[in-house]
Amino acid sequence: MKNIVISGYYGQLNTGDEAILRVLVDKLKEYERESNSSLNIVVLSSRPELTSKIYNVESVNRKKIPSVIKAIKRCDIFISGGGSLFQNETSNRSLYYYLFQIFLAKLFGKKVFIFSQGIGPIKRWYNIFLFKHVIKLADYITVRDYDSFDFLHKLKINKKIELSADPAFLLNPCCEQKIQKLLEEYKIDFSKKTIGIVVRKWKKEKDMTDKIAKIADILIESEGYNVVFIPFQGKWDIIKINEIVSKMKNKPYVLSEKLSPHELLGIFKKLDLVVGMRLHALVFAAKMGVRFIGISYDPKIDSFLKIYGFKPAGYVDSFDENNVLISIQYMLYDGKVTKKIDEITKNMTQKAEKAFEILREALNNIKKKDSINILGVRIDCVNFKKAKEKCLEFLNSSSPHVVFTPNVEMIMLAQKDEKFKKILNSSDLNVPDGIGVVWASKYFGEKLYERVTGFDLMMALMPELERQQKRVFLLGAKPSVAEKAKENLLKIFKNLSICGTHHGYFSQEENEKVIELINSSKADVVFVAMGMKRQEEWIYKNKKKLNCKLIMGVGGSLDVLSGEVKRAPKIFQKLGLEWFYRLITQPWRFKRMLALPKFIFVVLKTKLFGGR
Ligand code: UDP
């Protein structure tokens, strides 16, 4: 599994930055599918929970420095992704912060990719000096415009720098049906010309609010156009838009601040022209072949307009309303301009794609194992999230897949029992169950960072099983325990379909009956909780007879679910001391637990003297 950290201005719901992240994540997932490799994507975000939900990735709070350090330390490649991260127009702090991340990643020996960024403006010589010396540590650099390219060349950074384009050029709009549905809400009459306006608050804006209000009024009154204000950064833009609207005589349309980049892109398609202050408003217009004019607040706007052969219709602190109105009319009635926009956009799309080609190459160059062999037992290099994803994939496959959860005891048992070892290695997924396995991994070719216990994995699957209405069978434990576990599960997951239960103390003669019971219940998933060895042997022997999609050995999980046995408190789990809690609460397991010191001894012996 290759670990990737993506850093950027994410979580603030800025449409431009989120569009970049969307493309990055989608492209990485595409790479994962095509190369059949496993990627763990961690995004540094100011709202990690939201980011994690939107993109289905891991996310870490970018303000929590220890968590950021931990994420960077664990990664294989650090992507400083998109936008204009290296500038001190907004503040020195953000420049130092992003440079610090790169420095840190290099300190930990990670690959660093500066991904399709706009560089500058950077003020003051010492900031430029600092920037130059940190940025040249990067392994790959792509920039999104010529001015950034030129800036780096002038700094004499002796690295291959690829002139790319904004990743948002690769974003696709949402489907036509969705666009129609969204626009129905606003009841915009598209038989009239429709002008989209994207504004932002800016410190040197002077009387911009009044001027935009005047322009919008003239467009509505004198020209008979529709004016649609489009927020690109949530409530921040809405505040500015409301200020403008309050100064207008006419009522323009104002889109919701909750639209996703895909949705906004879809809506852009319907516009005749976009007046944009924000860079990504111009990128979105260009991408959709829509005419655009820019009012500049930052050199990045000038750089972008230059690519299309345009100049800003004015600067935020000094633009003239009449000039903007003339530019709008000129643009609207220039018959050749959309062809020109389309042609340049085609080229920009290719350039944006080029950066991803380099990224794919960079990922190919990272050699990581998909699984490791710990004392003869295969352990798949998955973290919790990946393990869950794989189980969900199995659920939608056509044949039964087996998941085992090898822990130290199982691995030690396999040392004496070749058949058991063979059984363990026959599974479709072996997750590292327990801190001992995680600890040992670093001696066997790839350091794992997270244990994946059978119980936690099983519980993490439940909400999805409930949502997908998959049928669950609980097999194992003493009579009535599975029923009690079912009851308790249904208290948490009310719509979960538990199609059957059976205890785990049945004879060989009764086996066929149990199989029949499971098959007739039409179970999609069978959780087998008959204790280590017995459950793996049972699964191995019977998996071909079962018609389900996922069979998982879950040890004593039904005892825990039924309330028969208590799991270690969270603090013990976090410290990797669940075994110790078990030892004090279930002292009769002492003999089994001797496996741990024996395991440590064998692992260290193997490391020192080789042999496996
Ligand atoms: N068990 C079972 N059938 C058997 C032996 C054991 O169903 O023939 C059950 C037992 O009742 C308990 C679970 O398997 O619920 C074993 O729990 P333990 O915590 O020992 O799991 P392990 O650590 O072995 O995975």
Side-chain angles (χ1 to χ4, degrees):
M1 191 171 67
K2 296 171 187 174
N3 292 297
I4 299 165
V5 167
I6 306 176
S7 162
Y9 184 66
Y10 304 128
Q12 294 289 341
L13 299 189
N14 173 295
T15 301
D17 294 295
E18 299 299 321
I20 291 171
L21 182 58
R22 170 49 73 205
V23 175
L24 259 167
V25 170
D26 286 355
K27 286 279 178 187
L28 287 171
K29 291 193 174 171
E30 190 181 294
Y31 170 86
E32 204 176 10
R33 284 191 300 275
E34 282 169 4
S35 64
N36 206 11
S37 57
S38 195
L39 300 182
N40 183 48
I41 306 169
V42 180
V43 176
L44 307 183
S45 161
S46 51
R47 285 151 93 182
E49 271 160 33
L50 191 64
T51 300
S52 181
K53 199 166 150 214
I54 298 176
Y55 301 95
N56 188 21
V57 291
E58 264 184 47
S59 185
V60 161
N61 192 332
R62 52 181 247 144
K63 290 181 200 134
K64 289 195 175 153
I65 300 298
S67 311
V68 171
I69 295 175
K70 195 165 143 195
I72 295 179
K73 205 169 166 193
R74 287 179 175 187
C75 79
D76 300 299
I77 184 161
F78 177 82
I79 302 176
S80 183
S84 298
L85 304 183
F86 303 111
Q87 45 88 17
N88 56 359
E89 188 64 42
T90 31
S91 78
N92 276 335
R93 247 186 35 211
S94 90
L95 174 71
Y96 298 155
Y97 175 71
Y98 291 119
L99 289 176
F100 163 73
Q101 291 181 336
I102 291 174
F103 177 74
L104 205 65
K106 287 317 294 179
L107 194 71
F108 293 139
K110 311 298 176 184
K111 292 282 176 213
V112 168
F113 200 136
I114 309 291
F115 196 83
S116 298
Q117 297 228 19
I119 314 278
I122 302 176
K123 291 181 201 150
R124 284 177 287 277
W125 67 267
Y126 50 87
N127 286 326
I128 296 179
F129 179 84
L130 184 72
F131 168 76
K132 175 181 167 171
H133 288 280
V134 175
I135 219 72
K136 70 181 188 192
L137 300 173
D139 302 272
Y140 308 89
I141 305 177
T142 60
V143 289
R144 69 177 173 192
D145 55 57
Y146 185 76
D147 291 341
S148 305
F149 184 79
D150 195 40
F151 180 73
L152 293 183
H153 266 276
K154 283 189 180 136
L155 284 184
K156 296 199 171 51
I157 289 168
N158 294 329
K159 280 268 147 78
K160 188 173 180 320
I161 300 160
E162 187 75 33
L163 178 58
S164 165
D166 197 289
F169 273 104
L170 301 175
L171 188 78
N172 290 317
C174 64
C175 67
E176 190 61 33
Q177 236 180 340
K178 184 92 189 268
I179 304 171
Q180 290 305 338
K181 210 170 151 224
L182 287 169
L183 288 174
E184 266 166 33
E185 273 179 47
Y186 298 99
K187 300 194 173 57
I188 303 172
D189 170 14
F190 281 104
S191 62
K192 291 187 200 171
K193 285 220 180 305
T194 305
I195 315 291
I197 302 184
V198 179
V199 285
R200 64 161 297 163
K201 189 174 176 309
W202 190 241
K203 51 189 176 194
K204 300 175 204 153
E205 63 180 49
K206 287 194 179 156
D207 46 1
M208 176 194 96
T209 310
D210 298 286
K211 288 179 185 171
I212 298 281
K214 198 170 153 200
I215 292 169
D217 267 333
I218 293 176
L219 290 174
I220 297 172
E221 258 171 38
S222 315
E223 307 296 339
Y225 297 165
N226 294 318
V227 168
V228 185
F229 281 97
I230 309 168
F232 257 57
Q233 189 165 0
K235 62 175 194 292
W236 302 110
D237 283 6
I238 286 285
I239 294 172
K240 184 85 256 170
I241 291 170
N242 286 343
E243 245 180 75
I244 296 171
V245 174
S246 71
K247 302 206 165 181
M248 285 177 65
K249 290 186 226 119
N250 300 279
K251 204 171 170 318
Y253 297 96
V254 179
L255 297 191
S256 156
E257 75 278 19
K258 297 217 169 82
L259 297 173
S260 73
H262 290 300
E263 291 167 339
L264 279 178
L265 198 56
I267 291 174
F268 264 60
K269 204 161 103 179
K270 304 283 169 197
L271 304 174
D272 292 287
L273 182 139
V274 171
V275 180
M277 265 182 82
R278 288 195 177 274
L279 174 70
H280 283 90
L282 308 184
V283 174
F284 276 25
K287 161 82 190 173
M288 301 319 287
V290 173
R291 298 164 156 94
F292 57 91
I293 65 164
I295 297 175
S296 179
Y297 73 96
D298 185 285
K300 67 184 176 190
I301 305 292
D302 302 53
S303 292
F304 185 79
L305 291 168
K306 200 157 80 187
I307 296 169
Y308 282 83
F310 305 150
K311 281 196 175 122
Y315 289 86
V316 64
D317 52 352
S318 61
F319 70 93
D320 177 82
E321 305 93 295
N322 290 327
N323 272 351
V324 173
L325 284 164
I326 292 167
S327 299
I328 293 174
Q329 294 302 352
Y330 181 80
M331 214 17 123
L332 275 177
Y333 292 100
D334 180 347
K336 292 189 191 138
V337 77
T338 45
K339 191 162 171 255
K340 179 177 159 188
I341 292 175
D342 282 343
E343 270 166 19
I344 298 171
T345 294
K346 205 167 145 201
N347 184 263
M348 296 298 277
T349 311
Q350 282 165 359
K351 281 186 174 158
E353 194 57 74
K354 179 78 191 154
F356 282 99
E357 260 169 49
I358 301 171
L359 178 58
R360 278 192 284 269
E361 238 174 76
L363 291 171
N364 288 341
N365 289 338
I366 299 169
K367 300 289 172 227
K368 293 282 279 202
K369 292 182 174 165
D370 286 332
S371 67
I372 50 174
N373 175 323
I374 299 188
L375 306 178
V377 175
R378 191 195 85 243
I379 300 291
D380 292 301
C381 300
V382 285
N383 60 3
F384 195 81
K385 186 167 185 301
K386 253 307 139 271
K388 185 177 157 192
E389 269 172 33
K390 285 205 177 247
C391 289
L392 294 175
E393 261 170 47
F394 294 160
L395 262 183
N396 294 311
S397 64
S398 52
S399 55
H401 284 75
V402 171
V403 178
F404 290 148
T405 62
N407 58 17
V408 165
E409 284 173 71
M410 284 153 96
I411 296 175
M412 287 316 282
L413 191 60
Q415 305 310 296
K416 294 181 274 181
D417 186 339
E418 276 304 315
K419 175 128 191 276
F420 182 51
K421 193 187 275 176
K422 189 178 146 207
I423 291 176
L424 282 178
N425 287 332
S426 72
S427 74
D428 297 287
L429 178 67
N430 276 350
V431 298
D433 183 344
I435 205 69
V437 182
V438 169
W439 166 79
S441 66
K442 61 174 180 267
Y443 298 121
F444 295 94
E446 179 148 350
K447 189 165 164 35
L448 300 175
Y449 292 100
E450 202 171 88
R451 66 186 190 140
V452 183
T453 70
F455 181 82
D456 290 334
L457 186 56
M458 172 173 102
M459 292 309 279
L461 288 174
M462 291 301 177
E464 203 50 35
L465 295 174
E466 183 184 34
R467 199 185 64 78
Q468 293 187 27
Q469 274 300 292
K470 298 287 182 192
R471 297 164 72 84
V472 177
F473 196 101
L474 305 177
L475 175 67
K478 295 196 185 102
S480 84
V481 171
E483 283 73 31
K484 184 80 191 128
K486 173 180 170 175
E487 255 174 54
N488 289 344
L489 268 174
L490 289 176
K491 282 184 199 155
I492 316 171
F493 307 101
K494 297 203 168 46
N495 297 316
L496 184 67
S497 167
I498 303 181
C499 57
T501 60
H502 196 282
H503 64 77
Y505 291 85
F506 50 90
S507 64
Q508 190 50 44
E509 292 70 49
E510 290 165 311
N511 193 49
E512 291 311 307
K513 263 195 180 158
V514 173
I515 299 282
E516 216 180 286
L517 182 72
I518 297 172
N519 283 340
S520 63
S521 77
K522 296 200 168 57
D524 297 294
V525 187
V526 184
F527 290 113
V528 187
M530 301 199 295
M532 70 167 183
K533 194 158 185 277
R534 176 160 151 84
Q535 70 198 10
E536 284 78 20
E537 283 172 352
W538 185 87
I539 293 173
Y540 182 74
K541 237 165 123 186
N542 296 293
K543 66 181 173 193
K544 288 207 176 98
K545 297 184 202 158
L546 291 169
N547 298 330
C548 61
K549 303 289 164 57
L550 176 65
I551 318 167
M552 190 170 150
V554 290
S557 296
L558 296 187
D559 291 342
V560 177
L561 267 175
S562 67
E564 289 267 304
V565 170
K566 279 216 162 14
R567 244 197 121 182
K570 278 265 165 337
I571 181 78
F572 281 79
Q573 293 183 36
K574 265 202 165 156
L575 293 172
L577 291 173
E578 196 162 8
W579 60 273
F580 180 68
Y581 179 84
R582 275 193 148 189
L583 184 64
I584 44 179
T585 51
Q586 300 170 308
W588 60 91
R589 295 177 78 101
F590 175 73
K591 222 174 140 204
R592 271 181 68 172
M593 282 182 185
L594 281 178
L596 185 64
K598 279 187 201 155
F599 177 75
I600 295 173
F601 177 75
V602 179
V603 166
L604 293 178
K605 196 177 95 185
T606 311
K607 162 131 177 86
L608 288 173
F609 306 110
R612 277 174 212 268

